[in-house]
Amino acid sequence: MEIKNIKSVYFIGAGGIGMSAIARYFMHCGMVVAGYDKTPSELTRRLEKEGMLLHYEENVDEIPHACKNPQNTLVVYTPAVPADHAELVWFREKGFEVQKRAQVLGTLTKMLKGLCVAGTHGKTTTSSMCAHILHQSHVDCNAFLGGITKNYGTNYLLSKESDYVVIEADEFDRSFHWLRPWMTVITSTDPDHLDIYGTKEAYLESFRHYTTLIQPGGALIIHRNLEMKPDVQDGVKVYDYSLTEGDFHAENIQIGNGEISFDFVSPIECVKGVQLGHPVPINIENGVAAMAMAQLSGCTAEELRYGMRTFHGVDRRFDFKLKDDRHVFLSDYAHHPKEILASAKSIRQLYQDRKITAIFQPHLYTRTRDFYREFAEALSLLDEVILCDIYPAREEPIPGVTSKLIYDELRPGIERSMISLADVLPLVKSRDFDVLVVLGAGDLDNLVPQITKLLKEK
């Protein structure tokens, strides 16, 4: 089905952050857009206000009439939806065009020049940074992002003129193999999603295959310390980057008084005096990658400086909720050991002499089973760790796999406890924290507004 023939689009799992961006694109194109999600959220409420028809009961009768014509209705689903979902089964039995979210993004990368960001971690911040730099420049761009940007209050940017589209390239379920990037950054390849890939070698092979999909004339910008070896087509330029080495890197890094600045070193044009608008140490390297792709797309030195200076961050990515004389509170989506390690190092760097407490909700039984020692090692950089029960997402429990695995591996002497999600708010109410961070990709983040309120009342 060609996009020009589509009159309505139906989303199964509409409230996902990536799904909602595509829904907004099709609404902008003037199509009827509807869908199902398991539970209402702030994001689904926004989508409804913008004109999307949503319901929260798995029921074919709830599908709008406008979405029941297989000749002009595209059905988009997320891999997190089970194969026996009643509505998904109905659409397939009736002969509808049914595509994964990644397939739809792949179609867009064939129509436009895809600027994609892949990697185990750093995808959302790097792609959001790059999109912001481009969007405020003379180049401009469309964007489908994995988080809500602070600058725009959305995960979707639209341009009527630009033929660039910034996309977060997700390796889960090999989704990024549907893409045909014009340019791509690969930030990291630390093994993850082993419930899908099985082995580290299969995970790395998936990234190698992804590099074969870059279009001739385009470019690969790859972190120089990765195990995987790229395999690009003829005509694809390859650059490497890192914090302080590579074709693109940072020099003269200055951190202090709540500010971060550095010089951007590039084979095209070096840019001095770059300031981070969201001054977090881990964003220096993310910024190097984002600036590299934006510069290769045509942004000027001054546009790069302005974009970095005015980038305000992404919801749930090192997201400060409260900073005053008594408390610091932030929320971070980190849910892989390497992400938590980077987050912990940045927090420690910013608050060297203060007590740092983390409330961490592990995400997935399989990830906890595979990496509980690495989780404990990363969390042990902090002063106190409070562990919640595992958030299962799409998984069934695995016997013997609980947060206790991480708890038992924490370094000797660290303060530690295990609590249920229901006990988090009473705990915050009863305690006085110095620096508090909520970590994880589950539903613990839903309590962040109430935690913020409780800390402000103190």
Side-chain angles (χ1 to χ4, degrees):
M1 181 181 290
E2 294 186 24
I3 285 183
K4 65 181 181 180
N5 296 329
I6 299 170
K7 293 183 179 178
S8 59
V9 188
Y10 190 85
F11 289 81
I12 304 176
I17 197 74
M19 294 279 277
S20 63
I22 302 174
R24 284 173 163 139
Y25 173 79
F26 285 120
M27 279 193 280
H28 174 82
C29 293
M31 301 173 189
V32 174
V33 180
Y36 156 90
D37 203 75
K38 194 172 184 179
T39 53
S41 65
E42 179 58 33
L43 186 51
T44 60
R45 283 187 281 271
R46 285 187 193 177
L47 290 170
E48 288 184 275
K49 284 182 181 178
E50 293 167 23
M52 189 172 183
L53 306 172
L54 283 170
H55 64 271
Y56 306 95
E57 179 187 351
E58 188 178 330
N59 185 347
V60 172
D61 293 336
E62 295 285 339
I63 300 170
H65 179 73
C67 298
K68 288 189 171 181
N69 183 347
Q71 302 305 314
N72 55 31
T73 298
L74 173 66
V75 179
V76 186
Y77 73 101
T78 169
V81 170
D84 60 353
H85 187 281
E87 296 180 14
L88 182 59
V89 169
W90 184 84
F91 280 118
R92 282 179 165 151
E93 287 178 346
K94 297 296 181 182
F96 282 75
E97 178 85 13
V98 179
Q99 295 189 1
K100 292 181 181 179
R101 176 182 67 92
Q103 288 175 263
V104 181
L105 290 176
T107 299
L108 293 175
T109 59
K110 294 169 190 172
M111 297 167 52
L112 304 167
K113 286 185 174 180
L115 306 178
C116 306
V117 180
T120 315
H121 32 262
K123 293 188 292 291
T124 301
T125 298
T126 304
S127 57
S128 298
M129 266 184 185
C130 184
H132 173 64
I133 295 168
L134 288 163
H135 195 61
Q136 55 74 44
S137 76
H138 78 283
V139 180
D140 203 0
C141 70
N142 303 275
F144 296 90
L145 307 170
I148 303 296
T149 59
K150 300 266 188 180
N151 290 80
Y152 307 102
T154 181
N155 57 334
Y156 164 61
L157 297 176
L158 178 74
S159 169
K160 294 181 180 178
E161 306 297 331
S162 179
D163 61 351
Y164 285 115
V165 56
V166 179
I167 289 175
E168 184 172 326
D170 188 3
E171 79 277 13
F172 173 70
D173 199 32
R174 297 177 175 82
S175 293
F176 61 170
H177 289 174
W178 292 102
L179 304 177
R180 297 297 179 268
W182 173 248
M183 243 182 270
T184 189
V185 166
I186 299 181
T187 63
S188 49
T189 54
D190 300 302
D192 195 12
H193 303 301
L194 296 185
D195 55 321
I196 301 293
Y197 289 99
T199 66
K200 169 185 172 180
E201 291 71 27
Y203 187 77
L204 294 174
E205 165 58 25
S206 184
F207 276 89
R208 185 208 63 80
H209 178 71
Y210 172 69
T211 64
T212 70
L213 305 176
I214 305 167
Q215 297 182 39
L220 167 64
I221 307 157
I222 186 168
H223 197 287
R224 69 177 303 162
N225 297 325
L226 305 189
E227 285 190 60
M228 59 83 59
K229 301 301 179 187
D231 182 14
V232 299
Q233 300 182 60
D234 291 341
V236 175
K237 293 181 179 178
V238 179
Y239 302 91
D240 65 357
Y241 82 97
S242 73
L243 183 63
T244 56
E245 295 180 306
D247 297 316
F248 299 96
H249 65 269
E251 285 184 355
N252 192 26
I253 298 169
Q254 305 291 323
I255 302 175
N257 299 318
E259 296 182 351
I260 296 177
S261 65
F262 61 93
D263 296 336
F264 173 62
V265 178
S266 159
I268 300 166
E269 179 187 3
C270 296
V271 183
K272 293 186 178 296
V274 176
Q275 288 185 307
L276 283 183
H278 190 229
V280 179
I282 55 175
N283 279 347
I284 302 171
E285 194 169 64
N286 290 334
V288 167
M291 292 173 74
M293 191 149 65
Q295 189 180 58
L296 288 168
S297 301
C299 287
T300 66
E302 190 48 48
E303 287 170 343
L304 292 174
R305 278 195 205 93
Y306 180 79
M308 293 296 288
R309 188 173 69 247
T310 57
F311 177 71
H312 297 151
V314 184
D315 281 356
R316 296 185 71 182
R317 268 67 176 187
F318 221 92
D319 187 0
F320 285 96
K321 299 298 183 181
L322 179 64
K323 277 197 283 188
D324 60 28
D325 294 337
R326 291 192 60 193
H327 303 106
V328 175
F329 174 49
L330 63 152
S331 168
D332 197 351
Y333 189 72
H335 57 283
H336 183 279
K338 287 292 180 71
E339 292 171 342
I340 290 175
L341 183 64
S343 184
K345 284 181 176 178
S346 286
I347 297 169
R348 181 59 73 195
Q349 197 169 356
L350 290 171
Y351 302 105
Q352 294 179 16
D353 303 319
R354 300 177 69 171
K355 180 179 179 181
I356 303 169
T357 300
I359 306 176
F360 174 50
Q361 181 187 42
H363 185 267
L364 299 180
Y365 294 103
T366 53
R367 188 181 283 126
T368 305
R369 176 199 64 197
D370 295 334
F371 301 115
Y372 67 90
R373 292 185 183 88
E374 291 86 348
F375 277 123
E377 184 179 355
L379 290 165
S380 290
L381 291 180
L382 307 177
D383 301 299
E384 180 183 12
V385 176
I386 300 166
L387 291 164
C388 294
D389 296 332
I390 295 170
Y391 181 76
R394 58 188 178 271
E395 294 184 340
E396 295 297 323
I398 298 174
V401 178
T402 71
S403 298
K404 185 74 161 46
L405 290 174
I406 301 171
Y407 179 95
D408 289 341
E409 294 288 330
L410 291 167
R411 66 173 167 83
I414 193 172
E415 293 182 46
R416 69 190 81 186
S417 56
M418 292 176 57
I419 62 174
S420 69
L421 197 65
D423 292 330
V424 170
L425 292 179
L427 177 72
V428 173
K429 194 170 184 178
S430 67
R431 288 273 307 275
D432 198 18
F433 297 97
D434 187 4
V435 178
L436 177 64
V437 56
V438 163
L439 296 167
D443 56 359
L444 173 61
D445 189 74
N446 295 340
L447 302 180
V448 165
Q450 292 157 278
I451 295 173
T452 306
K453 183 173 181 290
L454 287 171
L455 292 175
K456 284 181 177 178
E457 289 172 353
K458 290 179 183 290

